[in-house]
Structure formats: structure tokens, C-alpha cells
Amino acid sequence: MHVFLAGASRGVGREIAHCLAAHQIQVTALLRSTAAQAELEAMGIRVVLGDALDPSAVEQAMQGEPIQAVISTIGGLPQDGERSDFKGNKHLIDAAVKVGVSKFILVSSIGSGDSVVALPPPALQTLAAVLKEKEQAEQHLIASGLTYTIVRPGGLKSEPATGNGVLTEDYRVAGTIHRADVADLVCRCLLSDRANGKVLSAVDRNMFYGQPEFAEFKVTETA
């Protein structure tokens, strides 16, 4: 399997890079700058430089050896300038369609789409613009015809993995989760046909709030 990873320079994307490397999966990572290039290359990951906001750069980055799956964690807070939550992901999705990618995993956020009901009003007010773009990206992916999985994490922490990350189709659930646990769940979705066509919220089973009981979505590796 050859995976194209966007967002590997930091956060959840960096953790996913570690997870894919541990599974000895071939990875090409799209980076905007060289800051994380040396670390990723030391993990055996091929790095291509380009901005997801530039559609031609994205298409060029996906040329060459066939790509079976794309994983995107890109996005940004308002202070980052022009957000890539929708536009950047749209370019990735469109390029993936052109090169015949089999599967696209989009890391979004609880609060996007129907999960808006899971967040309290103050959080929604703060994140409204970002969540709107994330919802647009989700809808563009669903309409693209690609096999997709959308993972919506709750509030993110940078501590080591707890092993308590869970997925659920219940859009009313909210909570927090460590970035490394999100990465583990995303890698499981990559390797599972059962996750295809699903929109899943991701929280730590010991750090959720809101909906008091929910059904856990079990991901079984199939590849």
C-alpha cells in the first residue's frame, strides 16, 4: 500500500506518520515547508514540498507511483491566515479522484455537520468559521465518489497514547482524546473495509461528555 499523507508536519498528522511507518506502509508526505522534512525522511517517508492551497502543486505531488489511499489532517486556526480546512482538502480530494485513489480518510472535528449538537454554544461560537469549512470538506468528499472514511476527533491532547480511543457513529458524543490515539484509530480505519463510507466521532472512553451512553464502532483490520 502507498499512502499520500497531508498534514504530517505536526499534531495528528505527525502521529499518523509514525503509525504508518510502524506498520511499514509506504508513505509520501506533502509538506508546505522543510521544517519536518528531516524527521519524516528518517522514518523512511518520502517528502514532497507543496501547498495544499495550490491545486496544481497537489496534482503534481500525487503523480508518479500509484497511490492507494490519501489521509488528510490539514486545517488551521483563524490566525493562520487563509484556512485550508475546505479549500486545501478540496484540492486533495479532486486530485485523488484524478489519479484514481482507492480510499480517502479525512480527519475533521466533532462539531462539524450533524455533530454540531455535541458542542456547547460557547465552543460553537468560537469555532463556527472553522467548523463550517470542515463540513464543506466532508460534503465534498462524500459527493466525490471516492471510498471515504471521515474521522471527527474531540478536543485534542498531546500526551502519550492511552489506548482508550474509541470510535462511534453517534454524532451526539463529545469529549477529548490524545492525538496519538486518534492516529491509531485512523490507521485502523485505513486497514479496515468496515470503516468505508462511515462518519465517525473519536473520543477517549474515559474522557467523554454529553451523550452518556453510546455504541462503540469496532474497526477490524482487513488488509
Side-chain angles (χ1 to χ4, degrees):
M1 180 183 291
H2 181 196
V3 175
F4 187 91
L5 176 61
S9 64
R10 60 182 182 178
V12 173
R14 181 78 65 90
E15 296 292 345
I16 291 173
H18 282 287
C19 184
L20 294 173
H23 279 81
Q24 297 185 320
I25 293 173
Q26 181 184 356
V27 180
T28 295
L30 176 69
L31 299 180
R32 282 190 300 178
S33 74
T34 60
Q37 182 172 354
E39 179 183 347
L40 293 172
E41 288 180 341
M43 293 158 52
I45 292 174
R46 174 176 174 262
V47 170
V48 291
L49 297 176
D51 191 338
L53 292 172
D54 179 352
S56 60
V58 173
E59 288 187 29
Q60 184 175 357
M62 287 193 193
Q63 298 300 319
E65 192 168 345
I67 296 165
Q68 282 71 51
V70 174
I71 301 174
S72 176
T73 69
I74 64 171
L77 298 174
Q79 60 262 35
D80 289 341
E82 186 176 15
R83 284 187 294 270
S84 57
D85 297 86
F86 171 57
K87 188 179 290 185
N89 280 311
K90 179 182 184 298
H91 296 158
L92 289 166
I93 294 163
D94 292 346
V97 171
K98 287 186 178 181
V99 300
V101 167
S102 299
K103 186 169 183 174
F104 195 112
I105 299 179
L106 175 65
V107 179
S108 183
S109 175
I110 288 178
S112 177
D114 54 4
S115 68
V116 65
V117 300
L119 294 187
L124 290 174
Q125 185 173 4
T126 301
L127 300 171
V130 172
L131 292 174
K132 181 179 180 180
E133 289 203 12
K134 289 185 182 297
E135 181 177 3
Q136 287 178 296
E138 291 181 5
Q139 292 303 316
H140 190 72
L141 175 57
I142 291 169
S144 70
L146 292 168
T147 297
Y148 68 87
T149 303
I150 295 169
V151 178
R152 295 169 172 168
L156 294 167
K157 294 187 174 185
S158 295
E159 289 86 348
T162 67
N164 294 320
V166 295
L167 296 167
T168 179
E169 294 183 85
D170 193 330
Y171 58 86
R172 300 167 295 175
V173 174
T176 56
I177 185 169
H178 293 192
R179 287 176 171 86
D181 288 308
V182 176
D184 177 68
L185 294 171
V186 168
C187 287
R188 289 175 181 270
C189 288
L190 173 68
L191 300 172
S192 174
D193 289 341
R194 189 167 187 267
N196 293 350
K198 298 294 185 180
V199 181
L200 304 165
S201 295
V203 295
D204 189 296
R205 61 166 53 91
N206 295 327
M207 296 188 289
F208 70 88
Y209 50 86
Q211 183 71 7
E213 296 182 2
F214 60 89
E216 181 180 341
F217 181 87
K218 299 286 188 178
V219 181
T220 303
E221 293 188 6
T222 56

